[in-house]
Amino acid sequence: MTDTIEVRELGQKAGKHGDGHSMEFHEEHATQRPKPGKEEKNSTSTEPLTPPKPARHPLVWALMGAATVAAIAAGTAYYVHSLAFESTDDAFIEGHVVPVSSRVPGHVAKVYVGDNQSVKEGDLLAELDPPDFETRLAAAEAALQTARSTCAARATGIAGAKAGLAQAQADLTAAEARHHRAEARLKRVASLVPEHAASQDSLDEATAATQVTQADVTAVGGKVRVQQSNVEQAIAAAAAAESGVHQAEAEVKQIRLNLSYTKIYAPISGHVTRKSVEAGAFIQVGQPLMAIVEPDVWVIANFKETQLAKMRPGQPVTITVDTHPDVKFAAHIDSIQLGKRRPIQFVCRRKNATGNYVKVVQRVPVKIVFDDLKQIEQYDLGPGMSVVPTVKINEPATR
């Protein structure tokens, strides 16, 4: 039989027992062996080969019971919480991002802002080289002056043509008067010839005078028509000159606008982002230079269809942002999108005779608006940040 003897002297490696048995020491354990040839007593012992399991300490049972109670309490609290709240981690901050671009091509002379800089509406952001536009403006203004001079000349031409027309009409009136007098004399002479009160020569003379006055009337009438045509032509030329003036004025206005476009101003107030322009670069029309993000932001949360049963606009929402996990942001539901975010039913549904159909729970975007804008500015919340909104669905909707 093997006996285990505890040895407290760690330094000894071997020794003799008092009863003549040899002992071997290995650090803290020693094995006692009987002398050779001597049978060990009680060799038929009924002692079990494996040691009995020690009884568990009462403290272990207490800890296990406490853990069970805690698990039950946590499960109950989670169940009660799920009845009053709905949450999702598929949510992010959205906002108005206004791109800034140039309306005219040119070389960038100066850039006055940097990334993430706060700007106000109307602040100067960048400026292009203006000499090309200034030269074009000077040429357009000279063309405008020429067009105005031409228009004034055409107006004078109208006046001259009208004066000529008036003179021709006066001449026509005088010719017609002479013709009427000649016709009256011809009638008198013609009535006196049968009575021999007038000679045939007088009749022939009166007839010739009448014919001459008739020719004068015809000639002067032609001059009147010519003068009328001249007036119409002068009016048309004046209209064309006036149109040229309007065109030149429009050209000047456009070039002045282009010159003003060389200075790029902030369209809204916010923070500069995505800045990609530097001084000396050549930019094209519509090329994005930077973007400005408005401070007013909101949350787009994609809830499952099964979470929307009790969700209504106006219900309070508590939002946590990944960048500030210890800060709670107060908000409320603004609206719930009626349509689904993506039409995957065209992928999952199969219209065939077997009736196979794969149901996929859809995500519906819900717009959530912050209650305190100052808190947003304090923590610099911007579009793209991930958030976790928790909606209190047992609250009645406010609208």
Side-chain angles (χ1 to χ4, degrees):
M1 186 176 90
T2 304
D3 296 328
T4 303
I5 302 174
E6 180 179 2
V7 178
R8 302 190 183 276
E9 296 179 1
L10 300 178
Q12 295 180 349
K13 299 299 181 179
K16 284 290 185 175
H17 193 270
D19 57 0
H21 290 77
S22 63
M23 300 181 64
E24 294 178 1
F25 294 87
H26 298 282
E27 295 181 351
E28 293 185 357
H29 297 84
T31 303
Q32 182 178 2
R33 297 178 180 177
K35 292 181 179 180
K38 186 178 180 179
E39 295 181 358
E40 184 178 9
K41 296 180 180 181
N42 300 328
S43 59
T44 59
S45 175
T46 60
E47 184 179 355
L49 296 178
T50 59
K53 294 182 179 180
R56 291 186 178 179
H57 198 278
L59 180 59
V60 176
W61 290 106
L63 292 176
M64 293 179 60
T68 303
V69 172
I72 295 174
T76 304
Y78 176 78
Y79 176 74
V80 174
H81 182 274
S82 64
L83 295 178
F85 297 91
E86 289 290 355
S87 181
T88 181
D89 59 356
D90 187 359
F92 54 91
I93 295 178
E94 188 64 89
H96 293 293
V97 180
V98 180
V100 178
S101 59
S102 176
R103 297 187 179 186
V104 292
H107 287 88
V108 179
K110 295 181 181 178
V111 179
Y112 298 97
V113 296
D115 284 322
N116 304 318
Q117 181 176 337
S118 178
V119 296
K120 294 182 179 180
E121 182 178 355
D123 287 351
L124 184 61
L125 304 178
E127 186 175 2
L128 306 182
D129 284 334
D132 292 343
F133 300 95
E134 292 174 348
T135 303
R136 295 176 189 174
L137 178 60
E141 289 177 343
L144 175 60
Q145 292 299 326
T146 302
R148 286 175 176 173
S149 300
T150 303
C151 186
R154 294 293 183 269
T156 304
I158 292 176
K162 287 182 177 180
L165 176 61
Q167 182 62 44
Q169 289 174 343
D171 293 343
L172 178 61
T173 301
E176 288 175 346
R178 289 191 299 269
H179 177 64
H180 290 323
R181 187 175 59 181
E183 284 182 340
R185 184 173 179 277
L186 176 60
K187 288 180 181 180
R188 287 195 306 270
V189 173
S191 63
L192 293 176
V193 169
E195 298 177 358
H196 302 286
S199 64
Q200 185 65 35
D201 293 337
S202 298
L203 178 61
D204 293 341
E205 183 180 353
T207 301
T210 302
Q211 292 175 352
V212 169
T213 56
Q214 179 63 44
D216 290 342
V217 170
T218 303
V220 175
K223 291 181 179 180
V224 170
R225 288 190 293 273
V226 170
Q227 292 298 327
Q228 288 176 342
S229 177
N230 291 339
V231 170
E232 292 175 355
Q233 290 178 1
I235 292 175
E242 187 176 0
S243 176
V245 170
H246 293 326
Q247 183 177 358
E249 289 176 345
E251 186 71 17
V252 170
K253 184 178 180 180
Q254 182 61 54
I255 295 178
R256 283 178 179 170
L257 280 175
N258 292 343
L259 179 59
S260 67
Y261 292 156
T262 59
K263 294 183 178 181
I264 303 172
Y265 298 93
I268 60 171
S269 299
H271 291 83
V272 176
T273 184
R274 303 177 189 173
K275 176 177 169 290
S276 60
V277 60
E278 298 295 340
F282 184 85
I283 59 176
Q284 299 289 348
V285 177
Q287 178 179 341
L289 307 179
M290 63 191 72
I292 299 179
V293 181
E294 283 187 340
D296 184 15
V297 296
W298 61 90
V299 171
I300 297 298
N302 300 300
F303 286 94
K304 296 179 180 179
E305 292 175 303
T306 53
Q307 296 178 289
L308 300 177
K310 298 181 180 180
M311 204 171 292
R312 299 291 183 272
Q315 290 176 335
V317 183
T318 302
I319 296 176
T320 57
V321 185
D322 290 356
T323 55
H324 307 286
D326 298 331
V327 181
K328 303 295 183 181
F329 296 88
H332 63 275
I333 294 179
D334 178 78
S335 59
I336 301 175
Q337 182 173 314
L338 298 180
K340 293 182 285 294
R341 183 176 60 177
R342 51 185 179 180
I344 63 173
Q345 67 271 21
F346 298 107
V347 178
C348 297
R349 295 181 181 178
R350 296 182 180 179
K351 296 181 179 180
N352 51 27
T354 60
N356 293 338
Y357 171 68
V358 179
K359 182 176 180 180
V360 179
V361 177
Q362 298 295 300
R363 293 273 184 173
V364 178
V366 177
K367 182 179 180 181
I368 301 173
V369 178
F370 290 94
D371 293 337
D372 189 358
L373 296 181
K374 293 183 179 179
Q375 192 179 21
I376 298 176
E377 296 178 358
Q378 178 182 356
Y379 291 96
D380 295 329
L381 300 186
M385 290 185 175
S386 298
V387 301
V388 178
T390 302
V391 182
K392 194 172 184 180
I393 57 177
N394 59 356
E395 289 286 338
T398 58
R399 62 185 178 91

